[in-house]
Amino acid sequence: MANVDFLQWIATLCLFYSVSVSGDGCSLIIKPARAVVGFGEPVSVSCEATRPVRVLGWESAISASHTQRGPSVQWKVDSLIDWIEEPICYGVFFTAPRQCEEKLNLVLYKRPDSVTIKVANHTGPMLAGKEYHLLCEVQNIAPVQYLNLRWYRGRSEVYNRSFTDLTSPSPVQISSILVITPSGDDDGAQYSCVAELELGPEGPQPSPTVTSDPLKASIYYPPMFQNPNVEIIEIEEGGETALNCTAAGKPTPIYSWQPEMEDGHQAVLASSSLIPGTYTCTASNVMGKNSKQFIIKSKSKGRQ
C-alpha cells in the first residue's frame, strides 16, 4: 500500500512538471514576495496555498526538495552564497488549475571589497588647463544592476552613473571615469566616489554604501594676483610706502621688479627711498608669469 502511495506521489509530480501555470492564475502566495539577502546571511521565505492543495513544495538548487500536504511550506537557508539560486514554490491542487508554480524574487547582494580613486595614466601634480581622467574602481560588487556610483568634489556631487544595462548576478569589477580640466581654484580640492547599492524598500536602510579615500588634487598653475589692476599710491615727500605684489601660484612664484632695485626679489617692497614713478612687478613660475603695475605720485604735506 505504501508503494502505491509513493508511486501516486511520483506520478503527481511528473504531471505537475508537464502541465503547470504561474502568475495570476496560480493560487500561491510567497511571503515576502521579494527577498533581499546579504551574501552569507540567512534567509527564510514561506509559500502559502489559497485553496486546498494536494502537494506543496519548494524546488531549490542548494537545498533538498521539501514537500508537504499542509497549506504552507517554508524555504530556509542558514547562509546564502549561491549567486544563481532561483527557488520555485509549486503546488498540486485538487481542482483546476491543478498545477502551478511561483518563482521567488530573490536578490543576493554583496558590498564591494574596495572602492579606489586615482588619476589615470598620470603621476605627480596636474597642470591647470590640461584634461585629466579620474578613475574610480569598484571591486567585487553584486548585483551590478543596482549600483549607483556617485562622484563628489568636496561635498558637492558632480557626476553619477547607474549600471541598469548590466545583468550579472555574481560579483564583478566596475570602473567609472570623471573627466576634469582643473584650474588654480582646484588646487587642494578633494575628489571621492561612493558606491551605493539601491536595493529598494525590501533592502537594508539606509542603502549599503562604500566610499573611496579622497584624492587631493595638486594643481600647478601660473601666478595670479588678487587685484591685477594698476595701483596708484600717493605719498608725502620723505614718507614710507609698501608695494605688495604677492601672487598666488604653484610652484611658489619668484618676483622681479622694474626698475631694478635692492631687495628686488621680494613680493613686498617697503621703503622710504621709493620715488614717484611707475614700478612693474613680475611674478613667475614654471607655468607662466604675470605682471602688475604700481604708480607712485607725490603728495604735498599741506594737501588734504
Side-chain angles (χ1 to χ4, degrees):
M1 188 68 178
N3 289 337
V4 173
D5 290 340
F6 177 75
L7 291 175
Q8 289 177 340
W9 181 77
I10 292 296
T12 300
L13 287 183
C14 291
L15 179 62
F16 165 75
Y17 283 110
S18 62
V19 181
S20 63
V21 298
S22 61
D24 295 338
C26 189
S27 302
L28 300 175
I29 299 176
I30 294 179
K31 297 181 179 179
R34 182 174 184 263
V36 180
V37 187
F39 182 77
E41 295 179 359
V43 59
S44 179
V45 180
S46 67
C47 180
E48 300 177 1
T50 59
R51 57 192 174 98
V53 63
R54 183 187 301 272
V55 176
L56 188 63
W58 282 98
E59 280 295 329
S60 170
I62 62 174
S63 60
S65 299
H66 182 59
T67 61
Q68 63 182 49
R69 299 176 183 271
S72 67
V73 64
Q74 188 178 56
W75 178 72
K76 183 178 181 181
V77 177
D78 293 333
S79 177
L80 186 60
I81 57 174
D82 192 322
W83 295 105
I84 60 173
E85 179 59 68
E86 293 184 324
I88 296 175
C89 177
Y90 62 86
V92 180
F93 297 90
F94 294 98
T95 57
R98 293 183 179 275
Q99 299 88 31
C100 71
E101 65 179 34
E102 287 287 351
K103 182 184 295 185
L104 171 62
N105 185 355
L106 176 64
V107 177
L108 178 59
Y109 73 90
K110 179 184 178 299
R111 299 170 185 264
D113 293 340
S114 64
V115 179
T116 58
I117 183 175
K118 65 181 180 180
V119 184
N121 303 319
H122 178 79
T123 57
M126 294 180 276
L127 307 182
K130 185 178 179 181
E131 185 178 281
Y132 294 91
H133 291 186
L134 304 187
L135 175 65
C136 179
E137 294 183 314
V138 182
Q139 300 286 346
N140 293 329
I141 189 169
V144 66
Q145 57 266 35
Y146 294 101
L147 171 63
N148 191 9
L149 197 60
R150 306 178 189 273
W151 282 89
Y152 288 87
R153 182 187 184 276
R155 295 184 179 181
S156 300
E157 183 177 327
V158 294
Y159 177 65
N160 72 76
R161 183 187 172 190
S162 61
F163 298 85
T164 53
D165 55 325
L166 304 179
T167 57
S168 174
S170 56
V172 296
Q173 175 180 326
I174 288 295
S175 62
S176 174
I177 289 178
L178 176 68
V179 180
I180 64 170
T181 304
S183 67
D185 293 335
D186 294 303
D187 185 47
Q190 292 191 335
Y191 290 87
S192 59
C193 59
V194 178
E196 180 179 9
L197 280 171
E198 298 180 340
L199 299 165
E202 301 87 358
Q205 303 297 326
S207 299
T209 60
V210 177
T211 303
S212 70
D213 289 335
L215 171 69
K216 187 175 182 179
S218 177
I219 312 297
Y220 276 11
Y221 60 99
M224 298 184 297
F225 298 108
Q226 185 175 3
N227 176 16
N229 298 324
V230 176
E231 290 190 33
I232 300 176
I233 303 169
E234 291 186 338
I235 60 171
E236 295 181 350
E237 185 178 349
E240 186 168 327
T241 188
L243 307 183
N244 190 342
C245 181
T246 303
K250 193 172 183 179
T252 302
I254 58 175
Y255 300 90
S256 61
W257 289 86
Q258 290 294 332
E260 294 183 2
M261 57 180 54
E262 190 177 353
D263 296 330
H265 295 293
Q266 302 297 319
V268 180
L269 289 184
S271 174
S272 59
S273 62
L274 293 174
I275 61 175
T278 299
Y279 297 82
T280 301
C281 169
T282 300
S284 60
N285 62 15
V286 295
M287 293 298 297
K289 60 184 179 180
N290 208 344
S291 297
K292 177 180 174 67
Q293 282 191 335
F294 300 86
I295 298 176
I296 296 179
K297 293 184 177 181
S298 61
K299 176 182 177 182
S300 62
K301 292 183 179 181
R303 185 179 175 184
Q304 295 296 320

